[in-house]
Amino acid sequence: MRRIFPLAACAAALLLGVPSAFAQSGGVQKAVGGYSFEEAAKEAPTTKDFHSADGHLTFAIVTHTAGNGFFDPVYVGATAAGNLIGAKILLLGSESPTDDPAREIEILNQIVQDPTIDGLIMTTPQVGAYNDIVKAAEAKGIPVATTNSFDGTILDRSGISHTGQDASAAAIAGEALVKCLVDKGIEKGSIVFPSSTAMGNIEVNNRVTSAFNAVVKSLKAAGKLEAFKVDAGPENTGIDTNPNDPVNGIVTLFESRGDVVGAFAGNNVFTPALVKAVAQTGKTGKICAYGFDLGPAQQDALKSGDLTGALGQQPFLQGFYPVMQLYLQIDRGIAAANLDTRAQLVTQETVGKVGKRFEN
């Protein structure tokens, strides 16, 4: 009688279509505590009746500018997360195409009084302006999450999750700008950082500072710092430029310096303006121009060459994660956790990959 060795037996079983030929090893059937993972993964029976007690969760997300397209992927991310957990998501924000914290606060003061709201997500570009809203929400038992812009002084900061890009990510653009200068063989000139502190967005101020520091550091490391005039204003938060007429402001800046070879803009107000200024002054392809965000204007400018590179904040995450965080706080009692969405540098070579699934 011929003996069939184990490997041969397994092979024979496969050929015969025996479904249990291989047994999985290392499988975990239940928790060490004895409970079933499948049962433990289910939503708590009280979750859908949290706060409003109407049989479903309702979260509101409010931004400071819904009129320029940047927050569109944020709203998509929030909606996608809401669909996963069966929650209704109210998409709210200032209708303005530029930063409008005052209008956002007006909307927040209205929505925090809505008895159907179970959770509140908001951007916080104006430092110190949101404490009363947090106080009102917490008094009603409504959990709060912040996204995009960061207010480190907000009431109960350690108990409120934040999802957003740390301003230090702008250093990526600063490093790329210097590399661009080297690649183009540009040996001297001015590098400028047009912006406006009057807009009251501390995140933008910090971005400009981070990009400025990165440019200085990279030029110094390359032994070229003395050959360039790097100007981000007296406080390194940007050269003051009128946010109500940014294009003419940047054109004037270029013309007054006469030797601009690099520029960085830190938000969705000054980046499209930088693009138009580059085109109007005939500097397309001749200077290294970097900006922020990946809206339609930035993508078109990257394709045309009016913009050398732009940093994306991965805003889909800025909508998706806060919804999930609030849900976890309600359903699991998980403490507020932060998420740094980092930065995505996009150039003419990679812009075609942007926005395939509304993520940027």
Side-chain angles (χ1 to χ4, degrees):
M1 180 175 178
R2 188 162 59 93
R3 178 178 296 173
I4 299 177
F5 289 96
L7 285 176
C10 288
L14 284 174
L15 290 173
L16 292 171
V18 178
S20 57
F22 290 104
Q24 293 292 333
S25 62
V28 180
Q29 303 301 317
K30 63 180 181 179
V32 174
Y35 57 83
S36 160
F37 290 123
E38 184 176 350
E39 191 65 29
K42 292 180 180 178
E43 183 178 88
T46 56
T47 294
K48 288 290 194 292
D49 282 324
F50 176 80
H51 185 250
S52 60
D54 57 6
H56 66 272
L57 293 174
T58 299
F59 297 155
I61 179 167
V62 189
T63 74
H64 56 279
T65 168
N68 62 30
F70 169 81
F71 283 104
D72 287 352
V74 176
Y75 294 136
V76 173
T79 302
N83 290 343
L84 287 176
I85 61 174
K88 181 179 180 181
I89 309 297
L90 302 182
L91 310 177
L92 306 167
S94 166
E95 301 85 349
S96 173
T98 60
D99 290 1
D100 190 359
R103 173 61 177 145
E104 181 201 12
I105 291 170
E106 181 182 341
I107 296 169
L108 285 166
N109 281 321
Q110 293 172 351
I111 203 67
V112 79
Q113 305 300 325
D114 188 333
T116 70
I117 297 299
D118 299 296
L120 178 62
I121 301 161
M122 61 184 179
T123 60
T124 54
Q126 188 171 324
V127 173
Y130 305 89
N131 288 347
D132 288 343
I133 293 160
V134 172
K135 191 180 297 182
E138 291 186 346
K140 294 174 180 294
I142 300 171
V144 176
T146 61
T147 193
N148 184 253
S149 46
F150 181 74
D151 178 359
T153 70
I154 200 169
L155 182 69
D156 196 23
R157 175 76 275 176
S158 60
I160 295 175
S161 72
H162 181 71
T163 303
Q165 180 190 65
D166 189 270
S168 63
I172 295 172
E175 294 163 359
L177 193 157
V178 173
K179 183 178 185 302
C180 171
L181 293 173
V182 172
D183 291 346
K184 287 181 177 292
I186 298 174
E187 296 293 334
K188 62 180 181 178
S190 294
I191 302 169
V192 295
F193 298 75
S195 193
S196 173
T197 57
M199 298 177 70
N201 192 326
I202 193 169
E203 280 294 296
V204 175
N205 301 344
N206 291 339
R207 287 176 193 164
V208 173
T209 301
S210 294
F212 168 83
N213 289 337
V215 167
V216 170
K217 181 179 178 181
S218 297
L219 285 174
K220 187 175 182 180
K224 298 177 179 292
L225 181 58
E226 298 303 318
F228 291 88
K229 297 184 285 291
V230 188
D231 188 357
E235 303 295 328
N236 295 334
T237 55
I239 300 170
D240 188 44
T241 307
N242 184 358
N244 296 314
D245 191 11
V247 178
N248 285 330
I250 297 175
V251 168
T252 300
L253 176 61
F254 282 3
E255 292 175 344
S256 67
R257 300 302 168 95
D259 65 344
V260 173
V261 294
F264 171 82
N267 67 358
N268 202 35
V269 173
F270 285 99
T271 299
L274 173 61
V275 168
K276 292 180 180 178
V278 167
Q280 287 184 24
T281 55
K283 294 182 179 294
T284 302
K286 299 176 183 179
I287 72 170
C288 298
Y290 285 78
F292 240 83
D293 301 335
L294 296 171
Q298 286 88 332
Q299 292 184 42
D300 289 344
L302 288 167
K303 293 172 185 175
S304 69
D306 293 328
L307 193 63
T308 313
L311 287 182
Q313 302 184 51
Q314 307 200 91
F316 183 95
L317 288 174
Q318 295 181 9
F320 185 90
Y321 187 78
V323 171
M324 299 306 294
Q325 176 62 48
L326 290 180
Y327 177 75
L328 291 174
Q329 287 178 243
I330 293 168
D331 185 61
R332 298 280 162 178
I334 293 176
N338 300 332
L339 177 71
D340 182 357
T341 58
R342 304 286 290 175
Q344 177 184 16
L345 177 63
V346 177
T347 64
Q348 189 175 53
E349 291 71 32
T350 59
V351 66
K353 300 177 182 178
V354 172
K356 295 297 185 183
R357 288 282 293 159
F358 309 100
E359 72 277 16
N360 289 295

